[in-house]
Amino acid sequence: MRWRHDGSEPRWARSDLRLRHLLSLLFAPIFALGGVLLLLLGAEATATAGPPPTLYTALAVCCFLLALVALVDLYVIRRRKREQQRWHRSSS
């Protein structure tokens, strides 16, 4: 059975969904905004002064990927909360 506690909890352990939800809600827009700002900095950068424009682009891609991970995590959290409601389990 999926919900029993018999000493194998690390295998069946779940993270704190409320905290994950809060962190994903907080960081998804921050990473998206950071990616946009880095793209704008890359567009304004010149090859002679400061870091190369490709560095800004690479960092922007990393920020967008992290924002995507946060959005996917929000989807997973929503699905797990619906599963808990369906099986009448508490969210804690």
Side-chain angles (χ1 to χ4, degrees):
M1 179 174 186
R2 183 177 181 163
W3 303 100
R4 72 176 185 250
H5 297 281
D6 59 357
S8 64
E9 283 80 19
R11 193 170 100 197
W12 302 107
R14 292 205 175 196
S15 61
D16 185 7
L17 292 181
R18 282 187 233 142
L19 179 61
R20 278 178 55 193
H21 186 257
L22 176 69
L23 290 174
S24 292
L25 277 177
L26 177 70
F27 284 106
I30 289 174
F31 284 130
L33 182 63
V36 169
L37 290 175
L38 285 167
L39 281 178
L40 292 174
L41 281 173
E44 296 292 322
T46 61
T48 58
T54 56
L55 176 66
Y56 290 116
T57 304
L59 290 173
V61 168
C62 290
C63 280
F64 286 131
L65 286 175
L66 288 170
L68 180 65
V69 167
L71 291 174
V72 169
D73 194 38
L74 283 171
Y75 172 76
V76 169
I77 291 166
R78 188 178 73 187
R79 195 190 82 220
R80 285 193 179 166
K81 283 186 177 183
R82 276 189 277 145
E83 178 182 293
Q84 286 176 349
Q85 288 173 352
R86 188 178 74 190
W87 293 104
H88 305 293
R89 301 285 178 190
S90 66
S91 62
S92 55

